[in-house]
Amino acid sequence: MQQRVYAPLSALNAYNYCPHRVYLEFVCGQWKDNDHTIKGILNHERAHSGEKRYDGNRIQTTQVYIKSDRYQLVGKVDIVEEKEDEIYPVEYKKGKAGQWTNDHLQLCAQAICLEEQLELEIEKGYLWYFNSRSREEVYFDQELRDETIWTAKKVLNIMKNNLIPPKEYTSRCKGCSLQDICLPQEISKLNKDM
């Protein structure tokens, strides 16, 4: 019997950022910290405490482990908030607020997992950005849900079949912690010289 493979929720974020990163990180097990990843870890200390907090009329449960058998997703939510009759995920991010599709996909995947486990519908979630000290509301419309499920399938395909997505050198490579392992600029230059 073949073992089921589950895609980590963070792999959806990574795929949108760079599909090749998914291969390096989640198939090859490559990882290297840089200042961005270290700051992210430090910013998440409180969210990963595993405690339950009360913030006004909100109940916040930190570091909640979740999964979806239907879409083969697994991971954790930084904070699951309950307010009145609503339950929704809150994801912490190091950077500044903006329309970051990769963050929206990860948050929507969290909601999909929570919906399956709790048997309820979640219409929105929140992204908390440390650098801008702002909270962005994200609605899980059908377009975002479809893109999230499509991305999960792409990630699972890479992981199950050991597929190697092509490397493309872009401006995003400069901030990537795996740049010294991937060598995208060098590979790009070699390909042009051939």
Side-chain angles (χ1 to χ4, degrees):
M1 188 168 96
Q2 190 176 12
Q3 185 179 13
R4 278 187 75 144
V5 174
Y6 282 71
L9 298 172
S10 59
L12 278 70
N13 191 310
Y15 183 88
N16 185 263
Y17 190 83
C18 170
H20 192 76
R21 183 181 175 102
V22 171
Y23 173 75
L24 290 175
E25 189 175 340
F26 299 100
V27 175
C28 300
Q30 296 287 327
W31 181 257
K32 185 177 176 188
D33 281 314
N34 66 8
D35 63 326
H36 297 294
T37 63
I38 296 294
K39 286 177 186 172
I41 290 166
L42 294 173
N43 287 342
H44 278 78
E45 280 182 350
R46 188 166 180 232
H48 291 175
S49 65
E51 66 185 7
K52 188 171 263 197
R53 301 189 298 249
Y54 300 89
D55 180 18
N57 61 349
R58 295 182 294 199
I59 300 169
Q60 299 177 324
T61 306
T62 62
Q63 191 169 302
V64 178
Y65 291 88
I66 55 174
K67 73 172 186 166
S68 166
D69 289 322
R70 180 176 181 190
Y71 297 109
Q72 295 174 248
L73 296 168
V74 66
K76 62 185 170 185
V77 181
D78 288 336
I79 296 175
V80 173
E81 273 189 3
E82 299 173 57
K83 183 179 176 183
E84 298 162 5
D85 292 335
E86 282 187 292
I87 294 177
Y88 46 85
V90 179
E91 174 69 15
Y92 281 23
K93 293 295 177 188
K94 175 193 80 68
K96 294 181 180 178
Q99 290 299 312
W100 305 110
T101 301
N102 52 328
D103 293 344
H104 290 198
L105 292 171
Q106 184 177 358
L107 186 68
C108 186
Q110 292 172 359
I112 287 170
C113 291
L114 284 169
E115 287 176 334
E116 185 175 318
Q117 288 187 255
L118 301 175
E119 298 180 353
L120 54 80
E121 191 173 318
I122 299 173
E123 67 177 44
K124 65 182 177 186
Y126 294 90
L127 293 162
W128 168 256
Y129 289 97
F130 278 93
N131 286 3
S132 57
R133 308 292 298 164
S134 62
R135 184 168 155 136
E136 177 189 345
E137 190 171 64
V138 177
Y139 281 92
F140 306 128
D141 61 20
Q142 195 58 52
E143 183 179 347
L144 179 57
R145 287 174 183 274
D146 290 345
E147 187 175 359
T148 301
I149 292 163
W150 178 87
T151 303
K153 288 177 181 175
K154 291 292 188 184
V155 168
L156 284 165
N157 192 36
I158 291 169
M159 292 175 66
K160 288 177 182 178
N161 299 304
N162 292 326
L163 293 179
I164 305 173
K167 294 180 187 183
E168 289 184 43
Y169 181 68
T170 69
S171 60
R172 289 180 166 189
C173 295
K174 294 174 186 167
C176 179
S177 68
L178 300 181
Q179 181 180 186
D180 293 342
I181 295 167
C182 181
L183 302 173
Q185 191 169 17
E186 293 80 356
I187 299 294
S188 178
K189 187 172 184 177
L190 281 172
N191 287 339
K192 285 180 184 172
D193 292 342
M194 295 176 106

